[in-house]
Amino acid sequence: MEETVEDPATSAVLLDHCHFSQVIFNSVEKFYIPGGDITCYYTLTQHFIPRRKDWIGIFRVGWKTTREYYTFMWVTLPVDLNSKSAKQQEVQFKAYYLPKDDEYYQFCYVDQDGVVRGASIPFQLRPENEEDILVVTTQGEVEEIEQHNKDLCEENKQLKDSCVSLQKQNSDMQARLQKKQEELETLESINKKLEQTMKEQKDCWETELLQLKEQNQKMSSENEKMVVRVDQLQAQLSIQEKEMEKLVQGVQDKTEHLEHLKKESDQLFLSLTEQREHQKELRWTVEEMKQKETTAAKKQELTDQNFDLSKRLSEDKIIYNILQKEKERMEEENDVSMEDNPLLSYTGLNYDSSPYQAPTSNQEGARQNPGLVYGNPYSGIQESSAPSLLSIKNCPTCKSDFADDLFYHTLEQHTQTLSLNCPICDKTFPGKEKQIFEDDEFFHGL
């Protein structure tokens, strides 16, 4: 039998002959010579459409199902099903796939569902027919042969009748068998389903059993763990109860402390209110102090101006005293000169009767006496000596008179040894830290 990639579709059900006319086999010989290839010709009717898995098999006459094929060949699908050439098809069986006995066989066209669509007349695979050989016999032998033929015909008729009866019985049996086979296939399918269901159920039960065993083991281990955990939780519970008692006591203490804190909070609120009032008063006080500080700054400014005026007044007094002494000296000299010079006495003018008045301030200067006709002859001396007198300065610390070159040196020494007191914060700074003292005053003024 030809080896193929896959087996053709077959059926174990007995088939009827209602579909055998959809494919017609042509030119089928009564016998074929063994050892040669056989070409099978067939025609597709107009109501039949071939498919890719259709096949043609060689069956022994008397077959019951399509599983009883001897050999088979796949059919070739035509390119165009509507053409006439597509209806005429053929397939070739190789000699080494053919049967080796002289039994009767026939071609059958089976579709891919395992249904027979056509069957040929029976044929044999045997040598050349011996009946074709010419035999010469006598008249008596002919009569005997004829008689024998009559007997054979009678026997053949009886056999045919018997065959018809057997065929009828066979068809009945085939129908019953087909019904039984259908029932058997139904039962087999049901059995397979039941077996599959049982197998699946068994696998499921085994799986569930294993799961239950594992769960049982897990539950046992978890039960042991839970027992240990319960003991631990009981111990923790007792500890937590003690801690709870401590916490309750602590809560009570905290409640009392909270009430005490509330009282303190109320007191602090009252104190805060008082402090806010006091803060407002302090702000007014600061404002007043700032105003006073501004007034004090103005007073200090006036004091500095007064000090400068006092200094200038003292200098004017010194100059006045010097000029007074110089005046007295000049009067004495004038008296002496008038006594020695008769011309001055002749004029009838007396120095004491002159309306000369000494200056009262440094702003008037050493002006000439308007009573003198020819002016004061010593006015040049006074004017030339005034600058030297004005260069003398009085130290505000020790109240001593110094020249310009000694005044600043002495003032610097006095400033270094003098302590400076801040009138706002009452801080004391050395005299040499005058810049820090001024910065402190500046920050107080911001």
Side-chain angles (χ1 to χ4, degrees), residues 384-423:
S384 62
S385 61
S388 63
L389 294 174
L390 290 173
S391 63
I392 297 172
K393 295 183 178 180
N394 183 267
C395 179
T397 304
C398 62
K399 307 300 181 181
S400 300
D401 296 332
F402 297 95
D404 287 339
D405 54 351
L406 296 175
F407 174 76
Y408 293 105
H409 180 67
T410 305
L411 182 63
E412 184 178 358
Q413 290 179 351
H414 287 172
T415 304
Q416 291 179 357
T417 58
L418 184 66
S419 297
L420 303 175
N421 295 323
C422 180

Side-chain angles (χ1 to χ4, degrees), residues 190-323:
I190 293 172
N191 190 22
K192 287 181 180 179
K193 291 180 180 179
L194 290 174
E195 288 179 354
Q196 184 67 26
T197 304
M198 290 296 294
K199 184 177 180 182
E200 292 176 356
Q201 190 69 27
K202 184 178 179 181
D203 295 337
C204 182
W205 286 345
E206 290 178 353
T207 305
E208 290 179 357
L209 183 61
L210 292 175
Q211 291 178 354
L212 289 173
K213 287 182 179 179
E214 292 177 357
Q215 289 179 359
N216 190 15
Q217 293 177 357
K218 289 181 180 179
M219 291 296 291
S220 300
S221 61
E222 288 179 358
N223 190 14
E224 295 175 357
K225 292 179 181 179
M226 289 298 291
V227 171
V228 177
R229 182 60 178 168
V230 166
D231 295 335
Q232 294 177 354
L233 290 174
Q234 288 179 352
Q236 291 180 0
L237 182 60
S238 61
I239 295 170
Q240 288 180 356
E241 287 178 352
K242 294 179 181 179
E243 292 180 352
M244 183 63 71
E245 293 177 356
K246 293 181 180 179
L247 289 174
V248 170
Q249 185 64 34
V251 168
Q252 293 177 356
D253 296 337
K254 287 182 179 180
T255 304
E256 295 175 356
H257 183 64
L258 182 61
E259 292 178 354
H260 181 67
L261 289 176
K262 285 182 178 179
K263 294 179 180 179
E264 291 183 353
S265 176
D266 296 335
Q267 295 176 358
L268 288 174
F269 181 74
L270 295 174
S271 177
L272 180 61
T273 306
E274 293 176 357
Q275 287 181 1
R276 287 179 178 175
E277 296 295 332
H278 183 62
Q279 188 176 6
K280 290 181 181 180
E281 294 177 358
L282 288 177
R283 287 179 181 175
W284 287 107
T285 305
V286 169
E287 294 293 333
E288 292 177 357
M289 288 181 67
K290 286 183 178 180
Q291 293 177 359
K292 290 179 180 180
E293 185 178 355
T294 305
T295 306
K298 291 180 180 180
K299 287 182 180 180
Q300 183 66 30
E301 199 173 320
L302 293 173
T303 303
D304 294 339
Q305 292 178 2
N306 190 15
F307 177 76
D308 292 338
L309 291 174
S310 299
K311 182 178 177 183
R312 291 171 64 184
L313 181 60
S314 63
E315 290 177 355
D316 290 343
K317 285 181 180 180
I318 294 170
I319 294 171
Y320 173 75
N321 292 329
I322 293 171
L323 291 176

